[in-house]
Amino acid sequence: MIRKKVCMLGAFAVGKTSLVERFVKSLFNTRYQTSLGVKIDKKSLAIDGRLLELILWDLAGEDEFVSLRLPYLRGTAGLLLVVDGTRPETLDTALTLHDKAVAEIGEIPFVLLINKADLAEGWHIDPRDIDRLVARGWTVLETSAKTGRGVEEAFRILGREMLA
Amino acid sequence: MTAGKSAAPRPGGGDNDLSALRRLLLRPEQRRIEELGERLENPQLHARDVSRVLPEALCLSAKDRDTLSDALTPTVETIIHASVRRDSRRFADALFPVIGPAIRKAIAETLRQMLQNLSEVLEHSFSRRGLAWRFEAWRSGRPFAEVVLLHSLEFRVEQVFLIHRESGVLLQHLSAGNVAFEDAGLGSAMLTAIEDFVHDSFAIGGEQTLDSIQMGDLTVRVEQGPEAIIAGAIRGNAPQELHGVFHKALETIHQQQAEALRDFAGDPAAFETDEVQQTLQQCLQARYHEQTRRISPLLVTLLLLLLAGGGYWAYTGLREQQAFEAYLQGLDQAPGIVVTRAGTAGDGYRVQGLRDPLAADPLSLLDAKSPLDPQRLDLHFEPYQALIPSFVLTRLQRLLQPPETVNLVLDDGVLHLTGQAPARWINEARRLALALPGVDAIDTSALQASGHDELQALKTALGEQVVRFDIDTARSEADAPILQRLAHDLQRLQRLAREQRQTARVVLVGHSDATGTPARNLILSRLRAEWLHAQLLALGVDPALLTLRAAGSSKSVSTETNPAGQAQNRSVTLTIHLAPKEEADR
């Protein structure tokens, strides 16, 4: 079994916590996130016959009042960047967070999740922005906390990249 | 030769010549002096020279230890200070493997002394306290080990986590006994997060680390190493010396798993070795202390009361049991009662068996002073007939209802009837008694029918009866009432004899007086007997009872020859024969 630390990053209220809620094993209360700035969950999955245990650090969302606690990124093996599809500014936040993370810990595998896919008609993100990211080799997935769409796949893709 | 050319004296110069000469003579030495001067003045060359002799010089100086040490101490101190100031982590990393053993050595002696005292104390008081704890375990129904633990637990390391320092990923986890932790993987990550949080939030800089987290009687002790962390969850008062234990374990793991720690990429399998397990196991320590809690007087009183109550209960129980056994013995000895099964049943006692209705009431056999409560006796007796002679006799009494003149004795199955009873009763008794179980035979040889005396009296009376006749007549002058009474007596004789199981025969003997010829007398006596016979038959006497005999004058009633005697002889007398019926039938 391989254990990897994975950090979830994203702007405030993009739905990080609810996105993974039903896919992970939670031991700690969500109020840890507001007090400590992080909530830790566990996600186990098998990739190519290997058991992978992701220790998921769900970091508090960044906004103008709360900034990312960089020490939490130490020893991270992968990132989940979460964006709210209905709020284009959250994509910018995600990009900034990614840059900060790279500056702190260097290049590591990551996946960008455009959340709230169930509200696709309300999306305000310019598809060309996404295309540009994909063209840069980024993995971009559409997810929905409501339907669970894309979440398991995101874990798999990230897991596979981390094991590569 | 260059030297030759340059040394050629120039004409006309004395000083020059001298110099030339000096040069000529002392050139090699001069060169040597110049060289030496250069070596002394050129720092590089001088350093090289010193470096050649320095180790040797140090060795020589070391013999005079104090001088060198004194000389070097300030420098070394300055170096260390400078190094620590510049990069404390590097210095700490360098010292890490050696600092532990050094400290341990220093405190080992102190601990040894302390343990010696402790073990003496333990040894001294173990037996008494041990017994008290055993008693408490018995009283409370808890395992002895648990009681000791509760009394003496000072601290216990319940869990130990080995955590990858950078990522917070759990490398190994051990727990003591049955202490469970839901998810050690998440716990270790959370611990790292807390440390990060504290660092970040309170702007703690440098190499300061989280040492412990405390909540109630639970302490999480954290021991930091360069690559890994050991965190131990400790219940109770965690002693400072645990730091040493954790530290030593961490050192060992750093030494043994240096490569695995450095190259850790998420696979904790490398730390699942026996080596690591054993090292971590050493962290799962526990210590117990002697407790000098006084036992409350209330508890002692309660205990004594319980003890007294228990004793009384046991005593009464024993007494009751003994009383029950005595009662059973009494039942067994009572005639007509057979106990087939007995024992305790629920709160009381149960007895099953057979009982003759004539036997005593089983409850009445319970001694009034017996501690056994009759209410708690459950008695079940099936009725049966006992062949005990006294019972058979009682049954005979009830069945035969003998008159007071009869005595019943049962001896070995034979019923002996003695005394007097009406013949009818005797006959009935013979029939009924044999139908009763326990009576094999009946003996009435000593029993007289109550009509016997009457019969005898009647026989005597009839035997004395004389029916007189006049001279030479065969007709009596006896009154009709006399004959009627005679007939009645004869009929009564026959009835009484029958009742006495006897057969009566009456011979009417005709007599005559001595006057006349014997032949004539014989005929006359016959005629007289026949006359009476006819009279009696006419009065209803059973012909089977009577027989006739003519005695003539040969068997005189009276031997007197006077007229009164002769008149006696002109008569018919009655001779009565009584014989038992069987005899008569024969």
Side-chain angles (χ1 to χ4, degrees):
Chain A
M1 187 191 61
I2 306 292
R3 280 201 189 104
K4 294 280 190 187
K5 173 175 173 179
V6 171
C7 281
M8 277 178 78
L9 303 175
F12 182 72
V14 292
K16 292 192 306 296
T17 306
S18 41
L19 186 64
V20 296
E21 216 162 37
R22 59 169 132 159
F23 294 93
V24 299
K25 179 186 173 177
S26 288
L27 188 61
F28 306 112
N29 197 294
T30 42
R31 69 191 160 81
Y32 287 115
Q33 197 165 31
T34 44
S35 48
L36 277 181
V38 63
K39 178 175 177 288
I40 296 168
D41 301 312
K42 190 173 79 176
K43 168 71 183 167
S44 298
L45 62 162
I47 289 175
D48 302 332
R50 295 169 77 185
L51 193 62
L52 181 63
E53 192 177 280
L54 303 181
I55 305 296
L56 206 60
W57 290 49
D58 181 358
L59 306 189
E62 170 143 292
D63 57 21
E64 62 243 69
F65 306 112
V66 182
S67 62
L68 180 66
R69 287 178 186 273
L70 291 172
Y72 286 155
L73 292 172
R74 215 157 41 106
T76 304
L79 295 175
L80 284 170
L81 298 168
V82 187
V83 172
D84 180 351
T86 63
R87 286 153 60 208
E89 72 277 10
T90 61
L91 179 60
D92 299 331
T93 312
L95 296 180
T96 313
L97 287 171
H98 178 247
D99 290 344
K100 279 187 183 175
V102 171
E104 180 73 13
I105 56 171
E107 290 281 359
I108 52 164
F110 71 95
V111 175
L112 182 75
L113 309 177
I114 314 284
N115 197 21
K116 305 193 181 171
D118 47 298
L119 303 172
E121 65 275 13
W123 276 21
H124 291 100
I125 289 181
D126 189 342
R128 283 170 299 180
D129 287 344
I130 296 171
D131 290 342
R132 266 197 294 280
L133 293 174
V134 173
R136 277 166 62 186
W138 284 35
T139 307
V140 182
L141 289 169
E142 290 178 9
T143 56
S144 164
K146 208 168 176 183
T147 64
R149 177 182 149 195
V151 182
E152 195 72 37
E153 192 188 354
F155 280 125
R156 294 204 156 271
I157 290 171
L158 185 63
R160 192 161 274 128
E161 279 190 45
M162 285 191 297
L163 288 178
Chain B
M1 217 167 113
T2 319
K5 279 178 194 164
S6 63
R10 270 181 247 160
D15 284 349
N16 286 346
D17 289 345
L18 192 62
S19 291
L21 182 65
R22 197 190 297 144
R23 274 202 299 274
L24 199 66
L25 286 173
L26 298 172
R27 179 170 284 180
E29 283 76 20
Q30 212 161 10
R31 273 213 177 146
R32 184 79 184 140
I33 289 166
E34 282 165 6
E35 264 179 38
L36 282 172
E38 197 183 352
R39 279 169 72 170
L40 283 172
E41 283 159 20
N42 187 330
Q44 278 185 340
L45 291 175
H46 190 55
R48 199 180 64 202
D49 289 345
V50 172
S51 77
R52 279 191 196 129
V53 296
L54 190 62
E56 204 177 339
L58 281 173
C59 284
L60 284 171
S61 296
K63 288 177 182 167
D64 187 7
R65 204 173 295 169
D66 292 344
T67 319
L68 184 66
S69 302
D70 291 348
L72 285 179
T73 303
T75 317
V76 172
E77 278 174 1
T78 314
I79 291 167
I80 291 170
H81 273 118
S83 171
V84 170
R85 265 202 307 278
R86 195 170 60 242
D87 187 352
S88 61
R89 180 170 177 164
R90 189 174 166 197
F91 197 77
D93 287 357
L95 279 180
F96 183 73
V98 295
I99 201 154
I103 295 167
R104 278 197 302 281
K105 198 174 171 185
I107 61 172
E109 185 59 26
T110 322
L111 274 176
R112 196 188 58 76
Q113 191 61 41
M114 208 174 80
L115 280 171
Q116 180 70 34
N117 294 342
L118 187 70
S119 60
E120 273 172 18
V121 169
L122 268 173
E123 207 170 338
H124 181 67
S125 61
F126 183 75
S127 55
R128 191 159 46 86
R129 192 140 303 177
L131 282 175
W133 285 346
R134 269 186 201 286
F135 177 69
E136 188 183 332
W138 170 79
R139 183 169 52 81
S140 60
R142 283 187 303 218
F144 179 62
E146 194 181 317
V147 172
V148 173
L149 191 77
L150 278 173
H151 276 282
S152 56
L153 181 67
E154 190 173 313
F155 77 87
R156 178 163 77 153
V157 181
E158 293 188 336
Q159 307 195 52
V160 60
F161 300 79
L162 179 67
I163 304 166
H164 184 240
R165 183 170 178 174
E166 192 175 33
S167 63
V169 167
L170 181 74
L171 303 176
Q172 188 57 267
H173 171 247
L174 285 185
S175 60
N178 49 4
V179 179
F181 192 79
E182 205 168 327
D183 196 312
L186 290 183
S188 70
M190 202 59 177
L191 202 63
T192 317
I194 291 167
E195 193 187 356
D196 290 342
F197 173 78
V198 172
H199 253 279
D200 195 37
S201 302
F202 301 101
I204 296 165
E207 288 303 305
Q208 292 189 63
T209 54
L210 181 72
D211 282 342
S212 67
I213 304 168
Q214 192 154 12
M215 188 175 281
D217 71 336
L218 188 83
T219 308
V220 180
R221 272 279 164 82
V222 185
E223 199 63 34
Q224 308 268 355
E227 307 285 353
I229 300 168
I230 281 182
I234 306 150
R235 181 86 52 194
N237 295 320
Q240 281 301 317
E241 70 199 53
L242 265 186
H243 261 311
V245 175
F246 283 16
H247 193 86
K248 189 184 170 194
L250 199 56
E251 270 171 23
T252 310
I253 289 169
H254 272 84
Q255 280 168 8
Q256 289 170 348
Q257 311 291 332
E259 205 175 328
L261 281 171
R262 200 177 55 238
D263 303 335
F264 181 70
D267 187 359
F271 302 93
E272 279 162 13
T273 61
D274 287 348
E275 251 180 354
V276 175
Q277 294 257 0
Q278 279 164 12
T279 308
L280 288 177
Q281 193 73 45
Q282 286 163 9
C283 296
L284 291 176
Q285 293 200 350
R287 191 163 70 194
Y288 308 92
H289 59 72
E290 295 284 295
Q291 198 171 28
T292 53
R293 190 166 62 92
R294 280 195 47 186
I295 299 172
S296 93
L298 190 70
L299 190 71
V300 173
T301 315
L302 208 69
L303 215 67
L304 285 174
L305 280 174
L306 271 171
L307 215 63
Y312 179 72
W313 177 78
Y315 169 71
T316 50
L318 189 71
R319 263 190 75 205
E320 207 175 71
Q321 181 66 31
Q322 282 174 342
F324 178 64
E325 277 163 20
Y327 175 58
L328 281 182
Q329 209 172 352
L331 281 179
D332 254 345
Q333 285 167 358
I337 292 180
V338 179
V339 175
T340 55
R341 188 180 293 177
T344 52
D347 190 33
Y349 299 90
R350 188 183 170 87
V351 181
Q352 282 177 297
L354 303 171
R355 175 178 169 264
D356 191 298
L358 294 174
D361 177 7
L363 272 180
S364 72
L365 294 170
L366 184 65
D367 190 345
K369 289 175 189 165
S370 171
L372 204 59
D373 179 8
Q375 299 289 328
R376 292 175 57 216
L377 276 175
D378 181 15
L379 306 174
H380 284 271
F381 284 101
E382 292 289 323
Y384 87 112
Q385 270 195 9
L387 299 185
I388 299 164
S390 63
F391 284 18
V392 176
L393 213 51
T394 308
R395 261 185 215 106
L396 283 168
Q397 296 275 6
R398 286 185 184 176
L399 182 71
L400 303 178
Q401 297 189 335
E404 285 175 6
T405 51
V406 172
N407 191 25
L408 280 70
V409 175
L410 191 64
D411 180 20
D412 200 17
V414 180
L415 176 64
H416 299 279
L417 295 175
T418 54
Q420 276 193 346
R424 185 186 296 274
W425 179 86
I426 294 171
N427 289 334
E428 206 170 1
R430 280 204 187 93
R431 194 166 50 82
L432 289 176
L434 283 171
L436 204 68
V439 182
D440 302 327
I442 188 161
D443 169 27
T444 53
S445 57
L447 182 66
Q448 276 192 345
S450 49
H452 182 259
D453 291 347
E454 198 185 350
L455 184 65
Q456 290 303 324
L458 196 58
K459 181 188 171 189
T460 310
L462 283 169
E464 289 170 357
Q465 197 78 35
V466 179
V467 181
R468 294 185 185 177
F469 291 81
D470 278 342
I471 297 168
D472 201 24
T473 57
R475 291 178 72 92
S476 174
E477 293 163 356
D479 292 339
I482 291 173
L483 289 177
Q484 273 176 0
R485 208 178 65 221
L486 183 61
H488 179 259
D489 282 349
L490 285 172
Q491 282 170 333
R492 198 153 71 90
L493 176 81
Q494 191 179 30
R495 197 179 69 242
L496 281 173
R498 200 178 295 138
E499 280 175 10
Q500 302 285 322
R501 297 185 64 78
Q502 296 197 44
T503 306
R505 270 179 33 238
V506 178
V507 185
L508 302 176
V509 184
H511 300 278
S512 66
D513 57 21
T515 57
T517 61
R520 172 69 191 156
N521 284 346
L522 194 63
I523 291 164
L524 191 59
S525 63
R526 171 167 290 275
L527 287 172
R528 283 173 177 160
E530 281 175 354
W531 177 84
L532 186 57
H533 184 248
Q535 291 300 314
L536 290 172
L537 289 183
L539 285 168
V541 177
D542 183 1
L545 185 67
L546 304 172
T547 52
L548 303 178
R549 191 154 71 84
S553 57
S554 59
K555 296 232 165 100
S556 303
V557 181
S558 171
T559 50
E560 298 290 328
T561 51
N562 57 12
Q566 291 302 314
Q568 284 267 39
N569 287 337
R570 291 188 297 272
S571 60
V572 174
T573 58
L574 287 80
T575 306
I576 314 294
H577 295 280
L578 286 174
K581 202 161 196 176
E582 293 81 358
E583 202 178 306
D585 291 344
R586 247 180 262 145

